[in-house]
Amino acid sequence: MTELDAIKPKLTVLLCAPRGFCAGVDRAIQIVELALEKYGPPVYVRHEIVHNKFVVEGLRAKGAVFVEELDEIPAGDRPVIFSAHGVPKSVPADATARQMFFLDATCPLVSKVHKEAMIHHKRGREIILIGHAGHPEVIGTMGQLPDGVVKLIETEDDARNFQPDTPDNLAWITQTTLSVDDTSSIVAILRERFPDIVAPHKDDICYATTNRQEAVKAVAERAEAMIVVGAPNSSNSQRLREVAERAGCPHSVLVQRAADIDWSCFPDISTLAVTAGASAPEVLVEEIIEAFAARYDVTVETVRTAEETIAFNLPRELRSTAAE
C-alpha cells in the first residue's frame, strides 16, 4: 500500500445485481453485430438500436449507420434494422414498399405488448396504454393500430380524468420500462373507476425493469448516494434514479460514464450504491468504480436480489452466422 492509498477515505460500493444489459438489449446489439459480420458494412439502423451513446458509437465505428427515417437510406440492398424499442406497423410496410431487406430487433417483450393491443382491438375493447408520450416504444405500440384507437395515460391525474367511450369494455397495457410503483398506482385508480377493466395476462413491465428496480430498493436506505449508469433518454435508467430517491437514498444521479461525474455531488461519502440501466454495458460500470477507486479506498459489496437466465432467439437469417 502506498502512502497515497493510506490516506484515501474508505468507501463501500454497494453494487446492485441484476444491473445492465437485459436479454432484449443483448439480442438487439447482437443483431447489428452479426448483420455487419454477415453482410458487411454499411448496415442501416432506424433509430438508436438501444438508448446508450457508448453502444451506438461502438457500432457506428464498426459500420452501422443510424438514421431516424427510412427515406434517409439510399436505394440499394443494404440491410436495415429496426431498434429494440419497436416500430409502428407503417415502418415495415414502408420498408417492404421500398423493397428493403430488413431485420427486426424489437424486444420480444415489447412485441408481446403489440400482440396484446391487437387482440384487445379485435375483441372490440377500448385500449389504454400507460406510458410516456414520445418514447419510441410508446410510438411503436400505439402505431400497431389506427390513429386514436389506443389512448395514452401518463399520470395518476390522467387516470382520474380519463373519460372512455366504453367504460364497461376497457383494457390496459403498459410500456415495458416504467416504474413498477408508479404504474401500480395508476392501475389502482383505473380499477377503482372501471372494475371490469381487462389486465394483461402477465405484467407488461419487463422482468429486467422490475428486477433492477427491486435491486435498487434493496440498497437505497444503506447508501448515501446512488449512481445509475445510463443515458438521459433511457426510460428504464431514469426510473431507476427515481426509485432510488423514493426508496430512501438521499442523492441519486444518472451518469453516462466516468468523465461525466460531478465530484462536488459526492463529498465525504462512505457508502455509494451503483447500478446500470438495461442498455448500459458493464464496462461503463467498471469505469465508474475505477474513477471512485482513484479517490477512495474502495470495497465492493455485490447485493443480488434475483438471478436472470432469460435469452431470446435471434432472427432466422442470422442464426447460422451466430453459430459459426
Side-chain angles (χ1 to χ4, degrees):
M1 180 183 293
T2 66
E3 184 178 343
L4 180 61
D5 289 330
I7 62 172
K8 284 181 182 178
K10 292 187 180 299
L11 177 68
T12 298
V13 172
L14 303 173
L15 187 58
C16 294
R19 64 182 176 278
F21 279 1
C22 62
V25 164
D26 188 56
R27 174 180 180 269
I29 294 169
Q30 279 191 70
I31 288 172
V32 179
E33 291 178 336
L34 290 169
L36 285 164
E37 183 180 337
K38 181 172 182 177
Y39 305 109
V43 166
Y44 290 90
V45 184
R46 185 188 179 277
H47 193 67
E48 292 183 345
I49 188 68
V50 297
H51 284 157
N52 187 275
K53 183 178 179 181
F54 180 86
V55 170
V56 168
E57 291 302 322
L59 294 172
R60 183 176 281 126
K62 295 178 181 179
V65 178
F66 293 88
V67 299
E68 287 303 311
E69 299 299 341
L70 297 182
D71 59 14
E72 299 172 48
I73 301 171
D77 60 356
R78 303 312 303 159
V80 180
I81 298 172
F82 303 147
S83 81
H85 311 97
V87 294
K89 271 191 173 179
S90 59
V91 173
D94 186 19
T96 300
R98 294 171 184 265
Q99 297 184 313
M100 290 176 164
F101 167 55
F102 60 87
L103 297 164
D104 190 355
T106 301
C107 173
L109 297 180
V110 174
S111 297
K112 164 188 168 290
V113 179
H114 291 181
K115 290 172 186 173
E116 286 175 345
M118 290 185 280
I119 289 169
H120 289 315
H121 183 57
K122 187 177 180 180
R123 292 176 178 172
R125 295 173 183 142
E126 188 172 355
I127 304 164
I128 293 169
L129 170 61
I130 303 170
H132 297 296
H135 190 278
E137 184 184 328
V138 166
I139 293 169
T141 299
M142 296 183 78
Q144 299 307 303
L145 295 169
D147 287 349
V149 169
V150 180
K151 311 292 173 47
L152 183 65
I153 282 182
E154 297 187 78
T155 66
E156 291 182 20
D157 282 344
D158 289 346
R160 291 188 189 97
N161 297 325
F162 175 65
Q163 297 300 322
D165 298 324
T166 55
D168 298 325
N169 194 25
L170 292 171
W172 62 269
I173 56 177
T174 81
Q175 185 179 335
T176 64
T177 55
L178 300 179
S179 159
V180 174
D181 294 335
D182 286 351
T183 305
S184 296
S185 299
I186 291 171
V187 169
I189 293 167
L190 292 173
R191 281 177 165 155
E192 183 179 355
R193 293 188 64 205
F194 312 110
D196 295 327
I197 193 168
V198 177
H201 290 298
K202 187 177 180 183
D203 280 350
D204 288 339
I205 296 177
C206 82
Y207 77 94
T209 297
T210 302
N211 287 348
R212 280 148 190 71
Q213 289 179 20
E214 289 303 313
V216 163
K217 290 177 185 177
V219 302
E221 289 188 344
R222 294 176 57 191
E224 295 164 78
M226 167 89 68
I227 284 183
V228 177
V229 184
N233 60 340
S234 166
S235 174
N236 75 85
S237 299
Q238 290 284 10
R239 303 295 81 76
L240 289 174
R241 182 188 59 77
E242 295 168 359
V243 166
E245 290 184 345
R246 292 177 187 177
C249 182
H251 183 60
S252 178
V253 296
L254 185 65
V255 172
Q256 296 201 68
R257 57 186 313 175
D260 302 323
I261 296 173
D262 179 356
W263 292 103
S264 67
C265 295
F266 302 96
D268 305 324
I269 61 170
S270 60
T271 310
L272 172 73
V274 176
T275 190
S279 49
E282 184 66 11
V283 65
L284 298 185
V285 175
E286 294 168 357
E287 185 183 273
I288 296 286
I289 294 173
E290 287 171 7
F292 275 90
R295 294 163 173 80
Y296 292 87
D297 178 8
V298 168
T299 301
V300 177
E301 176 189 337
T302 299
V303 180
R304 180 171 294 279
T305 54
E307 296 287 345
E308 293 182 347
T309 57
I310 292 175
F312 296 130
N313 289 330
L314 292 164
R316 189 173 292 103
E317 298 90 338
L318 299 175
R319 289 175 194 169
S320 61
T321 305
E324 291 174 0

